[in-house]
Amino acid sequence: MPRKLIIDGDEIEVDGGTSLLQACELAGREIPRFCYHERLSIAGNCRMCLVQLDGMPKPVASCAMTVNDIRPTRDGSPNVINTRSEVIKKAREGVMEFLLINHPLDCPICDQGGECDLQDQAMVYGTGGSRYEENKRAVDEKYFGPLIKTSMTRCIQCTRCVRFMTEVAGVEELGAVGRGEDMEITTYLKHGIDSELSANVVDLCPVGALTHRPWAYNARPWELHKTESVDVMDGLGSAVHVHTRAREVMRILPRLNEDINEEWISDKTRHVSDGLRTQRLDRPYLRKNGRLEPVSWSEAFEAIVERIRATDSSFIGAIAGDMVGAEEMFALKDLMGRLGVRNIDCRQHGEVFNPTWGRASYVFNPGVAAIDEADAIVLIGTNPRIEAAVLNGRIRKRWRGGGINISVVGEPHELTYPYKFIGSSGPALASMERDGLGDAERPIFIIGPGVYRRPDGEAILSKIARLAKSLGALKTDWNGFAVLHTTAALVAGLDLEFVPKIGALKTSEIVSGAAEVIYNLGADEIEVQSDAFVIYQGTHGDRGAQRADVILPGAAYTEKIATFVNTEGRAQRTSRAVFPPGDAREDWTIIRALSECLNAKLPYDNIQQLRDAMFRAAPVLKDVGMMSCTDNSDIDRLLRLDGKVGIEPLTSIVMDFYLSNPIARASSIMAELSALSQANKTPVAAE
């Protein structure tokens, strides 16, 4: 029931259940806080958010009291709240003085300096000196893992980190021990936190107790230039800020996007930035006498032109990788079309999707935010904890809200929330069709790469589509058929129809010897099994470059303005934060320059002309930031697919969360995390 309040003389009406802190902020009042966070449970530890409520003898903690807790006035008039009285000012100054009693004077050497809540609020509520004369309390440092640097003497016990790890990450390894002045935040078993989301606690820490170990003493916030971009480490497309200094990416932080990642990002997204600097391709290379040697752009193009002109178009193939933008895929498809090449494929892992089935057959139709509305979730052939860590956190958030059943078909995994195990293989879906999903009105079937990368993937997709239709997941106002992609480029490739037509070669055939010339656009997960002439265009000296005969250095996602389409089918754009190293160039410009050498000049000279042509070919890419509507009738096409479902388990494809792409494999931080992750999985004798 709505309640009226008078806050500092202004009348406002708020919904029942609203906290006084939220009501004050709706009225435009800024309330200081340390322990309170919008996405975490209420702790009421710091008492910094005190306000004065008429009728109460003492100031109250506004985060812990709702408008429903206020006793109505006798005459029915609105309750009066004061946030600016002298009493409140003195109370907050007293709280600040207590918080600073034991806090060390570390600001000149603290990495939190410049973006520290304690610093900011001490400027308003701090006093000019301290009356405390006893020795300050000191706390031993803790080990939270290779990502989190601790200075626990600075800790004010707000417990934000504890609540995040318990409630959002679902890893209950962090907590408080001791009481009173002996209370300390620590890991219970005194080892690093085993979570893919652990570094988010540094963003939450309002003081300098938790800072980023890999960035220690590297830069101050005011030295960095901030660029809005999107993440390409998985298919979710999380919103990020890229922080740079000069020509170097210093760090990556989350950006608020309620529809996708809220304000969290995975540890890989956050700390992969050192991989952008190492093992980079910064000049063209040409293989001479069995060795790759640096050459000029013109010499590299001459070698490519000579080989392509000497090869029949039916023996030329092009493969697009997992982290390429839509612009370069469109340019490469256009170039191959002008050369008469039909063997093109963006499905380097053998995905069975076909654009002719319709867009609804290969995107996450309900959208990530719709998980909050679901009353049943079925995970099929996926381990979202390592395939889309932020999405897994969202599923856990929905589970904590209650009223939902989660089922798993495929390998059982530790998913940070309980679930019902149906079976490990495709035939187990029959039992679900028989038993149903209870009274679920809005079920979501999340389909992972363990389904669509199998040879019998079409048959399993058909079976899932039939199951979704029979269990009420396909309605006029709801489409619960949700494909979870683990790569950033595949949906855009399917939208652009970067796939072979009937009779043309697919990826497995191109690499197995059917093609004599292969144009490899950033596909580092394939293995060429023939002596074909390989042109590799990419960013790192990874698997693709090692097998290449010609290397064309491209730009990473932080170095170009490119369109990516996430697993929902939402077009998003990266922004150029820095320029590519050395002689490396933006990928579409390389293809445009090569087309002129091949006498197949592409008809666009700038990015806008290219996009105009791309939008005509795939209009869904034009609506940046928007989810395009899909047609439920597309799922009906899956019902007509034939094939037998195998009995092999639906296994997770991503074997190592931290080393899933070339940038991550070039990162020393990811290598350390991978080694620790594998060590944690190794059972000891007691187990």
Side-chain angles (χ1 to χ4, degrees), residues 39 167-169 197 236 257-264 367-373 377 384 388-401 404 406 416-417 568:
R39 303 186 195 280
E167 299 166 12
V168 179
L197 300 172
L236 206 59
N257 188 331
E258 296 289 358
D259 292 332
I260 301 176
N261 61 303
E262 299 179 303
E263 59 186 86
W264 319 123
V368 171
I371 289 175
D372 298 342
E373 306 171 28
I377 295 177
V390 176
L391 178 76
N392 192 67
R394 193 135 194 173
I395 296 174
R396 175 176 170 80
K397 171 188 170 184
R398 176 63 190 89
W399 168 77
R400 291 187 73 246
I404 187 170
I406 303 175
T416 72
Y417 43 81
E568 304 170 297

Side-chain angles (χ1 to χ4, degrees), residues 353 357 360-362 365 378 380 426 429 432-433 443-447 451 457-475 478-483 631-641 645:
F353 297 116
W357 298 345
S361 67
Y362 59 81
N365 291 286
V378 184
I380 308 174
L429 294 170
M432 181 169 290
E433 190 169 13
I444 294 180
F445 291 80
I446 299 180
I447 304 150
V451 171
E458 290 187 11
I460 302 178
L461 285 173
S462 179
K463 196 173 186 66
I464 296 171
R466 189 174 298 107
L467 182 63
K469 193 163 188 176
S470 65
L471 297 182
L474 302 175
K475 303 174 183 176
W478 184 259
N479 186 338
F481 189 88
V483 177
D631 191 346
N632 287 9
S633 63
D634 291 347
I635 310 300
D636 293 337
R637 295 188 179 94
L638 296 177
L639 302 177
R640 298 193 288 269
L641 298 178
V645 176

Side-chain angles (χ1 to χ4, degrees), residues 380 409-410 423-431 454 456 460 463-464 645-650:
I380 308 174
V409 178
S424 61
S425 59
L429 294 170
S431 65
R454 288 166 55 108
D456 59 349
I460 302 178
K463 196 173 186 66
I464 296 171
V645 176
I647 61 172
E648 296 81 8
L650 304 177

Side-chain angles (χ1 to χ4, degrees), residues 48 112 132 221 273 288 320 365 411 413 444 448 505 560 573 603 617 630 640 652 667:
M48 194 67 196
Q112 198 85 330
Y132 189 74
S273 55
K288 298 179 179 179
N365 291 286
E411 279 187 314
H413 297 284
I444 294 180
L505 303 176
K560 60 186 177 184
R573 280 210 189 121
T630 54
R640 298 193 288 269
S652 175
S667 166

Side-chain angles (χ1 to χ4, degrees), residues 262-440:
E262 299 179 303
E263 59 186 86
W264 319 123
I265 55 174
S266 72
D267 292 350
K268 180 167 61 175
T269 297
R270 184 185 299 266
H271 286 291
V272 79
S273 55
D274 69 316
L276 293 166
R277 302 189 292 268
T278 54
Q279 298 183 20
R280 288 300 302 270
L281 301 173
D282 58 358
R283 65 185 69 182
Y285 287 84
L286 176 64
R287 192 174 294 277
K288 298 179 179 179
N289 300 321
R291 293 174 58 87
L292 285 168
E293 298 181 5
V295 295
S296 65
W297 278 102
S298 58
E299 190 174 351
F301 282 168
E302 286 173 8
I304 295 171
V305 170
E306 180 182 353
R307 191 58 185 261
I308 287 180
R309 286 179 176 171
T311 307
D312 188 274
S313 62
S314 61
F315 295 102
I316 300 174
I319 304 171
D322 293 341
M323 304 174 71
V324 299
E327 286 82 359
E328 49 259 37
M329 269 194 287
F330 175 76
L332 182 57
K333 180 187 176 185
D334 196 355
L335 175 59
M336 292 295 111
R338 293 170 188 272
L339 296 175
V341 176
R342 300 172 64 244
N343 310 316
I344 60 173
D345 205 348
C346 63
R347 306 165 302 178
Q348 69 164 328
H349 301 282
E351 293 88 348
V352 298
F353 297 116
N354 192 322
T356 60
W357 298 345
R359 202 166 192 251
S361 67
Y362 59 81
V363 298
F364 201 99
N365 291 286
V368 171
I371 289 175
D372 298 342
E373 306 171 28
D375 51 10
I377 295 177
V378 184
L379 304 172
I380 308 174
T382 180
N383 178 3
R385 182 169 177 180
I386 62 172
E387 293 169 2
V390 176
L391 178 76
N392 192 67
R394 193 135 194 173
I395 296 174
R396 175 176 170 80
K397 171 188 170 184
R398 176 63 190 89
W399 168 77
R400 291 187 73 246
I404 187 170
N405 295 316
I406 303 175
S407 305
V408 167
V409 178
E411 279 187 314
H413 297 284
E414 189 175 339
L415 295 177
T416 72
Y417 43 81
Y419 58 82
K420 179 182 178 182
F421 180 64
I422 304 298
S424 61
S425 59
L429 294 170
S431 65
M432 181 169 290
E433 190 169 13
R434 182 179 62 252
D435 299 336
L437 293 174
D439 299 327

